[in-house]
Amino acid sequence: MLINCVVYENGTKLADIPVSQISEYASLPSCFVWVALRDASAQELAEVQEEFGLHPLAVEDAQHGHQRPKVEEYADSLFVVMHLLESGAAAGTSELSVGELDVFVGRNYVVSVRNRSDHGFVEVRERCEREPELLKNGPGFVLYALMDAVVDRYFPVIDAFEVELEDIEQRIFTKGSSRENIKQLYELKQRLTLLKHAVAPLLEGTSKLHGGRVPQICAGTQEYFRDVVDHLGRINSSIDAIRETIGTAIHVNLSMVTIEDNEVTKRFAAWAAIFAVCTAFAGIWGMNFEYMPELKWRYGYWAALGLIASLCGILYYRFRRAGWV
């Protein structure tokens, strides 16, 4: 569906226009058109493709969705794909939903297509309109504002991951919680991988927009894209640090599971040793030889029980002191 179709002239909003009038304003040298779409249909994409002459390969990627984050240059235009990560905390779940923002940028247009995401970019448009001096830079500045907004949404996600990891670390040495901790750590690692897949390719692509041969569309806004690259680099470093900590935590938890299993094994071994004494004496006196003096003794039964109980008590005392039982 169409969210907005607005024409800007010299950094100032001129008017909201229908898609059919885009060509009238796009031909003006001082104007550019910003079109925002959400879950666009093939027909809507075809309309804007015809109006702006979008590259068919870029339009095909936008139609199919589920693209890897990237920055691609087609002649005098850019096609940018970014992942939108939204936490399910509001719905009471820790899962991450992955949306997508596809942005077509040319000399006189910006087309943003949001897919599988409920969080819009109204604040980005308002920010751009509050800064006409910067908006004079044209579509390049709008692309920066959209990228900056997407990247800023990654910071709360990484903060939530760090808080969750700290909570798990506090429970690492709680007895009986190791297996549950390992499960939660693996789930956290999977969600962290989604963020890594969103950040790392975008960091590589955005680096092309501020250094070396910068596309003409981004001329004059390189320092802004450098700021985006800096933010992505910080997030990427945090992801690597969290992944390393998760790996260490998993090893520690596995060690705790082994230690707990060893404790159980020691208890079994201690009780087996105690009952082995009973079994040994019962086996000796159960052989039923005719000439066994203990069998004829009046107090033999009680003496045998006392001996067995005493030895078992001594073993229990020693094992207790050693922490085996």
Side-chain angles (χ1 to χ4, degrees), residues 22-56:
I22 287 177
S23 56
E24 299 177 14
Y25 292 93
S27 59
L28 300 176
S30 59
C31 294
F32 75 90
V33 180
W34 182 358
V35 180
L37 300 169
R38 175 184 176 185
D39 297 319
S41 64
Q43 181 180 355
E44 289 173 326
L45 286 175
E47 289 178 0
V48 294
Q49 179 183 9
E50 181 179 357
E51 292 290 340
F52 297 119
L54 305 179
H55 197 282

Side-chain angles (χ1 to χ4, degrees), residues 86-99:
E86 297 179 1
S87 174
T93 176
S94 59
E95 294 296 324
L96 281 179
S97 60
V98 182

Side-chain angles (χ1 to χ4, degrees), residues 121-134:
F121 291 92
V122 177
E123 72 281 1
V124 177
R125 189 180 293 273
E126 292 175 348
R127 170 193 174 184
C128 291
E129 292 176 356
R130 287 195 307 267
E131 301 174 330
E133 291 300 320
L134 296 176

Side-chain angles (χ1 to χ4, degrees), residues 84-87 96 151-164 188 191-192 194-195 235 242:
L84 305 173
L85 301 181
E86 297 179 1
S87 174
L96 281 179
V151 173
D152 283 347
R153 294 180 187 182
Y154 294 156
F155 282 103
V157 176
I158 202 74
D159 290 342
F161 286 165
E162 290 175 345
V163 170
E164 185 175 352
L188 177 58
R191 283 179 276 130
L192 190 67
L194 292 177
L195 181 58
I235 295 173
I242 293 176

Side-chain angles (χ1 to χ4, degrees), residues 293-309:
E294 302 95 315
L295 300 179
K296 304 295 183 179
W297 187 29
R298 178 178 179 181
Y299 302 106
Y301 174 73
W302 299 107
L305 291 180
L307 177 62
I308 293 173

Side-chain angles (χ1 to χ4, degrees), residues 263-274 312-325:
E263 291 293 328
V264 174
T265 302
K266 287 194 297 184
R267 287 186 174 85
F268 280 136
W271 285 109
I274 292 172
C312 289
I314 292 171
L315 288 174
Y316 179 82
Y317 173 73
R318 296 297 299 271
F319 287 135
R320 184 78 173 180
R321 288 195 62 183
W324 282 39
V325 292

